[in-house]
């Protein structure tokens, strides 16, 4: 390890205990930089999403187009109960969606608390491309989507409605780790031209209060891209990602010399340090990609995984975790 890296660890982290031994022992970070292009995304559903993103990347397309197309696969899957159509509703039986996107110029667009539109990521893209704003929410976001040509549709599937009616019997709000907060697809990519972009989309925590917005549409929390340094995204219980500005923190730590894996671990350990009475009951996972194509991920609990696609690589990898 360089003297610079040692210095950063002792000064940046202080009591966070990111030891050299713990960060070097995970198998999930590649030994040498992955060749461009590369796309990484959260959870098992990332495999299918990456395959779609790859169609853009392999032709030399822009990372921002790849991540939009990639996460649209997950949004369109009615059997996925945490993203897009089929997402579990809130307590009032309403499916409300959050999404954001960020490109290599650090342009960004976001929608939150959007109802009845299947592809919130594409509405977020339009906010980025066609408006002077970054974020539209609720009725305003829906009106913008309809005015832009998106179709209104019912996103509450029979399966999700049944699950909601079942939940109503006890109305116990305690998200199950890696199940009801196995929520988001976050995807970050590096294209052939060496440019980074990211996208993040979710139906949020199941049985949330009506009006609740998580980290996924918040630039700097659920997603952040700095084309000089790297990109990061988050999954899990959004309240705790927002509280530490997770994705932005990770990119800033990468700027200071940490690897994607080390930076994700530091962000998880920040949550643990600040919320020692909460972390055992919740899952948060971070995934990051550097400008050189190095990637890494880390979660509070075991069970968080991520999908990687690059030339000669297409796999699902278990992230390192704090609780073992
Ligand atoms: N990470 C997604 C959410 O909390 O809504």
């Amino acid at each position: 390890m360089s003297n610079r890296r040692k210095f950063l660890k002792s000064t940046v982290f202080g009591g966070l205990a990111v030891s050299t031994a713990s960060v070097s022992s995970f198998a999930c970070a590649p030994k040498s930089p992955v060749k461009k292009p590369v796309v990484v995304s959260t959870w098992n559903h990332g495999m299918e999403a990456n395959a779609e993103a790859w169609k853009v990347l392999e032709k030399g397309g822009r990372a921002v187009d790849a991540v939009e197309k990639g996460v649209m696969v997950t949004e369109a899957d009615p059997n996925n109960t945490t993203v897009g159509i089929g997402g579990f509703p809130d307590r009032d039986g309403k499916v409300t969606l959050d999404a954001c996107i960020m490109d290599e110029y650090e342009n960004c667009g976001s929608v939150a608390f959007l109802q009845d539109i299947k592809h919130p990521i594409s509405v977020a893209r339009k906010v980025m491309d066609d408006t002077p704003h970054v974020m539209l929410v609720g009725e305003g976001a829906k009106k913008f989507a309809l005015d832009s040509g998106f179709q209104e549709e019912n996103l509450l599937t029979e399966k999700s409605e049944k699950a909601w009616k079942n939940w109503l019997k006890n109305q116990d709000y305690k998200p199950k780790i890696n199940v009801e907060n196995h929520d988001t697809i976050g995807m970050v990519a590096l294209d052939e031209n060496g440019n980074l972009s990211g996208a993040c989309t979710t139906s949020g925590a199941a049985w949330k209060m009506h009006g609740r917005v998580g980290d996924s549409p918040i630039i700097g929390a659920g997603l952040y891209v700095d084309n000089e340094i790297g990109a990061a995204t988050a999954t899990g219980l959004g309240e705790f990602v927002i509280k530490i500005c997770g994705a932005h923190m990770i990119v800033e730590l990468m700027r200071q010399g940490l690897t994607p894996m080390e930076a994700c671990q530091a962000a998880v350990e920040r949550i643990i340090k600040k919320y020692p009475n909460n972390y055992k009951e919740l899952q948060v996972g971070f995934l990051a990609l550097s400008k050189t194509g190095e990637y890494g991920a880390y979660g509070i609990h075991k069970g968080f995984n991520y999908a990687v696609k690059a030339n000669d690589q297409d796999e699902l990898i278990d992230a390192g975790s704090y609780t073992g």
Side-chain angles (χ1 to χ4, degrees):
M1 179 187 293
S2 69
N3 284 340
R4 175 175 147 71
R5 179 71 59 76
K6 273 188 204 145
F7 170 77
L8 286 166
K9 279 193 174 156
S10 59
T11 54
V12 174
F13 295 119
L16 285 182
V18 177
S19 72
T20 308
S22 66
V23 293
S24 61
S25 61
F26 293 110
C28 50
K31 287 198 180 76
S32 55
V34 178
K35 275 188 195 164
K36 303 172 289 190
V38 57
V39 55
V40 295
S41 56
T42 55
W43 303 110
N44 305 32
H45 49 222
M47 292 296 286
E48 263 192 305
N50 283 0
E52 194 64 27
W54 192 253
K55 291 180 189 165
V56 176
L57 294 173
E58 72 180 345
K59 286 190 219 128
R62 279 177 78 199
V64 70
D65 295 324
V67 295
E68 180 188 357
K69 293 275 183 270
V71 303
M72 282 174 74
V73 171
T74 323
E75 288 182 339
D77 180 357
N79 293 315
N80 186 313
T81 56
T82 58
V83 179
I85 188 164
F88 281 154
D90 63 19
R91 292 169 197 196
D92 297 357
K94 309 280 187 209
V95 179
T96 74
L97 305 179
D98 300 334
C100 74
I101 192 161
M102 196 160 180
D103 74 7
E104 70 269 35
Y105 304 109
E106 284 112 48
N107 294 315
C108 40
S110 162
V111 288
F113 191 52
L114 176 64
Q115 296 182 57
D116 308 319
I117 306 288
K118 187 159 82 180
H119 287 300
I121 197 65
S122 300
V123 185
R125 174 83 191 255
K126 277 218 161 282
V127 172
M128 176 174 86
D129 288 345
D130 298 352
T131 82
H133 306 305
V134 166
M135 191 166 193
L136 293 179
V137 305
E139 280 304 311
K142 183 170 170 182
K143 181 177 184 310
F144 171 73
L146 295 176
D147 290 349
S148 302
F150 289 84
Q151 298 301 309
E152 185 166 16
E153 57 189 297
N154 176 25
L155 304 180
L156 185 64
T157 56
E158 224 172 275
K159 178 181 163 189
S160 291
E161 187 172 14
K162 203 169 155 199
W164 169 60
K165 288 190 170 152
N166 199 38
W167 177 80
L168 280 177
K169 289 178 195 157
N170 294 319
Q171 304 195 17
D172 177 27
Y173 181 72
K174 196 174 175 204
K176 289 195 194 94
I177 287 173
N178 295 334
V179 181
E180 282 156 6
N181 56 11
H182 173 307
D183 44 44
T184 311
I185 179 151
M187 175 182 281
V188 287
L190 180 69
D191 64 29
E192 192 65 47
N193 292 319
N195 287 320
L196 289 159
S197 293
C200 189
T201 176
T202 188
S203 53
W207 335 130
K208 61 194 174 185
M209 289 174 73
H210 190 60
R212 180 266 190 189
V213 169
D215 61 307
S216 302
I218 312 284
I219 299 294
L223 178 73
Y224 196 70
V225 177
D226 184 323
N227 199 36
E228 279 179 28
I229 304 297
T233 189
T235 181
L237 198 60
E239 281 74 4
F240 290 84
V241 178
I242 294 171
K243 284 174 182 177
I244 64 153
C245 293
H248 184 261
M249 174 184 169
I250 288 166
V251 172
E252 288 308 303
L253 289 172
M254 286 161 64
R255 188 190 307 281
Q256 292 173 45
L258 271 69
T259 66
M261 166 73 199
E262 290 167 345
C264 290
Q265 181 172 353
V268 162
E269 290 182 358
R270 179 72 60 86
I271 292 174
I272 285 156
K273 185 174 179 226
K274 287 196 173 286
Y275 305 99
N277 300 324
N278 302 88
Y279 78 86
K280 288 187 186 139
E281 309 298 324
L282 65 101
Q283 174 67 306
V284 165
F286 294 109
L287 171 63
L289 176 66
S290 77
K291 184 74 176 167
T292 58
E294 187 180 2
Y295 55 81
Y298 199 81
I300 297 178
H301 301 288
K302 203 170 164 185
F304 171 43
N305 56 14
Y306 64 103
V308 182
K309 189 156 178 61
N311 288 311
D312 306 325
Q313 190 180 10
D314 189 11
E315 63 180 320
L316 198 59
I317 298 176
D318 289 328
S321 61
Y322 183 82
T323 59

